[in-house]
């Protein structure tokens, strides 16, 4: 073999090897040299005696400019070694995408941040260019708080965290919020380390809510609760604070785990509760302003930072079941009396009614027992009547004090709500707030005015009612009434008939029971006849002497009749 033949064989082998390697490079990223720039195209030599054209726009992109020049070495994606025009088919975009995916996969595996540029807004979020690879940024992952204007964030390179990757589908989901939260947590941790409980610091009111205000302490927020703004009652933080206002606060508590900071403004001022017992002694009276009204009472401000509670039971002597708002009103100035001071619990109990005269004491001074008063029937109950009296107090007439003779359950039906009624004051118990009244006492006690009525006496009675079981009678000359049962109407059974009497008839009867304490009186015609019979027998003889009972009674009756004629 000649030298020329050897050279040809070697060249052919090298050429085959070269073309063979080119075949293996299709579908991969190769390096090339920019040999020329024509209008909007770059001519790139990738070796192998092959050149290709790439649009200049592929060398630019979101957040980066086209700075390609002749002689620059660039990486391009080789799709085919030769097309119909004999040129290589190249792509800078695909090269960058391939290169970017490799880097992104490594970053995703290592949980590292990547840099990209938000360049477009789509449904549900935004698209981000991660140096050639396009990722989706959900709207919820843009910032820690919802933002209205995303303009300042567009077309600026910034860090992102990859949440999900799927190379087969070409999907990448990133988050900007995660990076911000991590950065913020680092900053908060560093700031919290430089703060101490008890430290006084200035801050700016950032946000106001119903329960307090958030104060920016230079990169970290602290909560100033509404109860820690001032010693006095603050119904809403806007009464004292405005957004953007610079305030001096004291750090009350720091939670190093959650990085939550509790702040206070009132703690920088003197505690008005120190020495409170000496300033507001029990039973002393002061003036204050009503600041708040609840179902159970009203709060009164005695001085800034010092409030006391008037419990509903201490608001009025007489209005027991009334809402406090019907007795006092907000901002009203009232005089109160100190009832109790508890400095440990920071409580002062106040009384409003104690500054007014006790109406039961006033009534007792004006009306002694036995005095006659007049009042309106306010209520009827199962145990008596309630009358409205002077001083807005009520007095009670018990059922037993309605009538001397009739049961109270029967008499109370005669009274109606709103009736004006007179009564006698029986007793006033100031401590128990009770006034006892009596209506029957207006007429006097018939047992006290019974005169000569006593057990065994014969009295004249007038029939007031005739019933099947007997007759109702009234003792003449008294206010006493009695009921004579059928069996007591006569000694003779045949005469024990109520119908033989009429209303208005007068008759004599003997008193068989007279009990002042039990308030009972009983009379009997039968007892009187038996007593007269015994007396006649004793005076005119007995049946043993031969005289009949008729003879004896006849003589006694004649004597009695003669005595009546002489009278």
């Amino acid at each position: 073999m000649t030298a020329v033949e050897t050279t040809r064989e070697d060249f052919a082998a090298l050429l085959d090897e070269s073309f063979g390697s080119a075949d293996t490079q299709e579908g991969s990223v190769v390096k090339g040299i920019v040999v020329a720039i024509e209008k909007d195209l770059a001519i790139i030599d990738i070796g192998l005696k092959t050149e290709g054209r790439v649009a200049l726009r592929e060398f630019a992109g979101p957040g980066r400019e086209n700075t390609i020049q002749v002689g620059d070495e660039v990486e391009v994606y080789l799709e085919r070694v030769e097309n119909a025009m004999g040129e290589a088919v190249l792509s800078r975009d695909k090269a960058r995408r391939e290169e970017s995916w490799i880097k992104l996969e490594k970053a995703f595996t290592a949980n590292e941040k990547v840099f990209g540029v938000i360049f477009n807004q789509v449904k549900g979020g935004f698209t981000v260019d991660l140096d050639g690879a396009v990722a989706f940024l959900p709207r919820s992952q843009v910032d820690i708080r919802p933002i209205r204007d995303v303009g300042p964030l567009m077309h600026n390179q910034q860090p992102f965290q990859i949440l999900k990757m799927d190379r087969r589908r070409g999907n990448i989901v990133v988050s900007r919020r995660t990076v911000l939260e991590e950065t913020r947590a680092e900053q908060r941790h560093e700031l919290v380390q430089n703060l101490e409980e008890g430290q006084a610091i200035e801050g700016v009111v950032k946000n106001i809510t119903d329960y307090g205000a958030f104060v920016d302490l230079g990169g970290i927020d602290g909560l100033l609760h509404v109860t820690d703004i001032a010693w006095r009652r603050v119904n809403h933080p806007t009464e004292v604070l405005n957004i953007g206002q610079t305030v001096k606060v004291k750090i009350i508590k720091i939670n190093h785990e959650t990085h939550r900071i509790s702040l206070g403004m009132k703690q920088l001022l003197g505690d008005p509760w120190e020495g409170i017992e000496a300033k507001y002694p029990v039973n002393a009276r002061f003036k204050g302003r009503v600041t708040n009204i609840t179902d159970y009472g009203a709060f009164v401000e005695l001085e800034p930072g010092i409030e006391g509670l008037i419990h509903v039971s201490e608001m009025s002597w007489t209005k027991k079941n009334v809402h406090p708002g019907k007795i006092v009103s907000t901002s009203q100035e009232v005089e109160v009396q100190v009832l109790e001071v508890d400095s440990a619990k920071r409580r002062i109990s106040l009384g409003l009614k104690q500054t007014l005269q006790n109406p039961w004491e006033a009534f007792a001074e004006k009306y002694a027992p036995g005095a006659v008063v007049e009042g309106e029937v306010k209520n009827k109950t199962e145990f008596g009547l309630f009358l409205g009296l002077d001083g807005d107090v009520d007095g009670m007439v018990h059922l037993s004090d309605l009538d001397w003779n009739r049961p109270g359950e029967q008499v109370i039906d005669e009274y109606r709500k709103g009736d004006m009624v007179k009564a006698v004051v029986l007793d006033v118990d100031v401590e128990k707030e009770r006034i006892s009244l009596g209506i029957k006492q207006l007429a006097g006690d018939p047992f006290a005015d019974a005169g000569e009525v006593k057990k065994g006496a014969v009295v004249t009675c007038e029939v007031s009612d005739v019933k099947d079981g007997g007759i109702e009678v009234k003792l003449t000359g008294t206010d006493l009434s009695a009921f004579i049962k059928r069996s007591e109407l006569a000694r003779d059974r045949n005469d024990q008939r109520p119908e033989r009497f009429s209303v208005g008839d007068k008759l004599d009867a003997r008193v068989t029971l007279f009990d002042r304490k039990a308030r009972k009186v009983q009379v009997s015609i039968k007892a009187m006849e038996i007593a007269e019979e015994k007396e006649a027998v004793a005076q005119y003889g007995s049946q043993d002497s031969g005289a009949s009972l008729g003879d004896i009674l006849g003589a006694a009756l004649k004597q009695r009749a003669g005595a009546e004629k002489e009278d």
Side-chain angles (χ1 to χ4, degrees):
M1 181 181 294
T2 63
V4 175
E5 292 175 346
T6 305
T7 303
R8 287 177 178 174
E9 290 175 358
D10 292 341
F11 178 76
L14 290 171
L15 188 61
D16 290 340
E17 184 181 347
S18 174
F19 278 111
S21 63
D23 290 339
T24 61
Q25 288 178 337
E26 284 188 355
S28 62
V29 177
V30 298
K31 289 184 178 180
I33 303 296
V34 179
V35 295
I37 295 178
E38 298 177 356
K39 293 184 180 181
D40 56 351
L41 295 173
I43 312 300
I44 299 173
D45 180 7
I46 60 170
L48 310 174
K49 306 296 182 180
T50 306
E51 293 178 350
R53 299 171 186 270
V54 178
L56 292 178
R57 59 179 172 74
E58 291 193 30
F59 291 93
R64 62 181 185 275
E65 297 179 357
N66 174 23
T67 58
I68 194 75
Q69 295 180 358
V70 174
D72 288 349
E73 185 179 65
V74 295
E75 289 185 340
V76 290
Y77 183 82
L78 178 60
E79 295 188 27
R80 284 203 312 277
V81 175
E82 188 176 321
N83 60 8
M85 297 175 64
E87 295 179 343
V89 179
L90 306 176
S91 171
R92 173 60 182 162
D93 283 342
K94 288 185 178 181
R96 185 181 292 110
R97 194 176 300 119
E98 285 293 318
E99 181 183 357
S100 182
W101 266 93
I102 295 170
K103 292 179 181 178
L104 293 175
E105 284 177 337
K106 290 181 180 178
F108 180 60
T109 304
N111 197 29
E112 294 175 348
K113 299 181 187 67
V114 295
F115 286 84
V117 177
I118 302 173
F119 67 91
N120 192 21
Q121 183 169 342
V122 295
K123 183 178 180 181
F126 305 87
T127 49
V128 180
D129 176 37
L130 300 177
D131 195 21
V134 178
F136 175 65
L137 173 64
R139 187 174 293 276
S140 61
Q141 296 297 323
V142 175
D143 208 317
I144 296 172
R145 292 189 180 92
I147 55 175
R148 296 180 180 178
D149 185 15
V150 246
L153 302 179
M154 303 282 284
H155 308 295
N156 293 322
Q157 194 172 51
Q158 51 195 311
F160 295 90
Q161 188 78 36
I162 300 175
L163 301 180
K164 188 169 65 173
M165 287 188 74
D166 188 339
R167 187 159 188 172
R168 185 173 60 84
R169 295 183 178 180
N171 292 338
I172 305 176
V173 179
V174 295
S175 170
R176 180 175 175 270
R177 174 179 177 174
T178 304
V179 177
L180 293 176
E181 286 177 342
E182 185 178 334
T183 306
R184 185 184 181 190
E186 292 173 358
Q187 292 175 345
R188 285 173 67 90
H189 180 72
E190 185 178 347
L191 287 169
V192 168
Q193 295 302 316
N194 297 326
L195 298 176
E196 296 179 359
E197 292 184 1
Q199 178 183 353
I201 188 172
E202 283 193 347
V204 178
V205 179
K206 188 175 181 181
N207 190 26
I208 295 177
T209 67
D210 291 338
Y211 54 85
F214 288 94
V215 180
D216 185 357
L217 303 177
I220 187 169
D221 292 348
L223 174 62
L224 174 61
H225 198 270
V226 65
T227 57
D228 290 312
I229 294 176
W231 289 108
R232 66 178 179 85
R233 176 184 293 273
V234 177
N235 294 315
H236 197 275
T238 51
E239 296 177 8
V240 181
L241 304 173
N242 297 307
I243 293 177
Q245 178 182 350
T246 300
V247 292
K248 192 170 185 180
V249 292
K250 184 176 182 179
I251 298 175
I252 301 173
K253 189 176 180 181
I254 300 175
N255 189 322
H256 290 280
E257 293 182 2
T258 61
H259 294 166
R260 290 183 179 177
I261 302 174
S262 298
L263 306 174
M265 285 177 62
K266 72 179 184 182
Q267 286 77 4
L268 295 172
L269 305 173
D271 187 352
W273 285 88
E274 290 182 4
I276 198 71
E277 291 93 344
K279 193 182 292 186
Y280 295 99
V282 174
N283 294 327
R285 295 183 180 182
F286 300 91
K287 286 188 176 180
R289 182 178 59 87
V290 178
T291 56
N292 191 29
I293 297 175
T294 67
D295 291 338
Y296 54 85
F299 288 91
V300 175
E301 184 182 59
L302 301 174
E303 65 173 82
I306 299 295
E307 279 188 348
L309 171 66
I310 308 174
H311 193 267
V312 64
S313 62
E314 305 295 344
M315 301 197 82
S316 173
W317 289 108
T318 55
K319 298 174 182 177
K320 301 296 184 183
N321 297 315
V322 178
H323 191 275
K326 293 187 178 180
I327 301 175
V328 294
S329 57
T330 305
S331 300
Q332 178 184 347
E333 187 175 298
V334 292
E335 185 181 18
V336 292
Q337 182 169 313
V338 179
L339 304 181
E340 184 183 359
V341 178
D342 190 333
S343 58
K345 294 182 179 179
R346 306 173 83 86
R347 292 177 183 173
I348 298 180
S349 297
L350 304 173
L352 181 64
K353 70 181 184 182
Q354 286 78 3
T355 62
L356 307 171
Q357 185 181 14
N358 185 329
W360 282 273
E361 288 181 355
F363 188 89
E365 292 174 5
K366 188 175 180 180
Y367 299 101
V372 177
V373 294
E374 186 175 15
E376 180 184 348
V377 176
K378 295 284 187 182
N379 197 16
K380 290 168 59 175
T381 68
E382 60 183 9
F383 47 83
L385 290 177
F386 282 92
L387 306 183
L389 305 173
D390 289 349
D392 204 21
V393 296
D394 289 348
M396 190 191 79
V397 183
H398 195 270
L399 289 177
S400 60
D401 290 313
L402 288 173
D403 194 281
W404 289 111
N405 301 312
R406 294 178 296 163
E409 293 82 1
Q410 176 184 339
V411 180
I412 196 171
D413 291 335
E414 299 176 2
Y415 296 92
R416 297 287 180 271
K417 211 170 180 181
D419 289 351
M420 294 301 295
V421 177
K422 287 185 177 181
V424 174
V425 177
L426 303 180
D427 181 57
V428 180
D429 190 328
V430 175
E431 187 176 339
K432 293 183 179 179
E433 300 180 351
R434 292 177 184 173
I435 299 174
S436 298
L437 305 174
I439 293 177
K440 71 180 184 181
Q441 287 78 2
L442 290 168
D445 187 352
F447 278 87
D449 302 329
E452 298 298 325
V453 177
K454 59 182 179 179
K455 185 176 180 180
V458 176
V459 294
T460 302
C461 304
E462 183 176 341
V463 178
S464 57
D465 194 11
V466 178
K467 299 180 179 179
D468 291 339
I471 60 174
E472 284 272 3
V473 297
K474 182 178 180 183
L475 279 63
T476 304
T478 71
D479 289 329
L480 297 174
S481 296
F483 183 73
I484 306 176
K485 295 186 291 184
R486 176 189 288 271
S487 60
E488 299 296 327
L489 289 176
R491 182 177 183 275
D492 191 344
R493 185 179 294 274
N494 293 328
D495 293 331
Q496 293 176 351
R497 293 175 289 106
E499 58 270 19
R500 70 189 183 93
F501 297 95
S502 301
V503 174
D505 289 352
K506 290 189 176 181
L507 54 90
D508 290 337
R510 185 182 180 89
V511 178
T512 56
L513 174 66
F514 186 76
D515 189 337
R516 292 180 187 273
K517 288 185 179 181
R519 309 190 64 79
K520 288 184 179 180
V521 58
Q522 292 178 3
V523 295
S524 171
I525 300 174
K526 176 181 178 180
M528 182 191 70
E529 291 177 349
I530 292 174
E532 286 181 346
E533 178 184 331
K534 289 182 179 179
E535 184 182 347
V537 169
Q539 184 175 356
Y540 296 102
S542 65
Q543 294 179 356
D544 295 337
S545 62
S548 66
L549 182 58
D551 294 336
I552 296 172
L553 288 177
L557 291 173
K558 285 180 182 179
Q559 183 179 2
R560 181 176 176 182
E564 289 177 356
K565 286 181 181 179
E566 290 177 2
D567 293 340

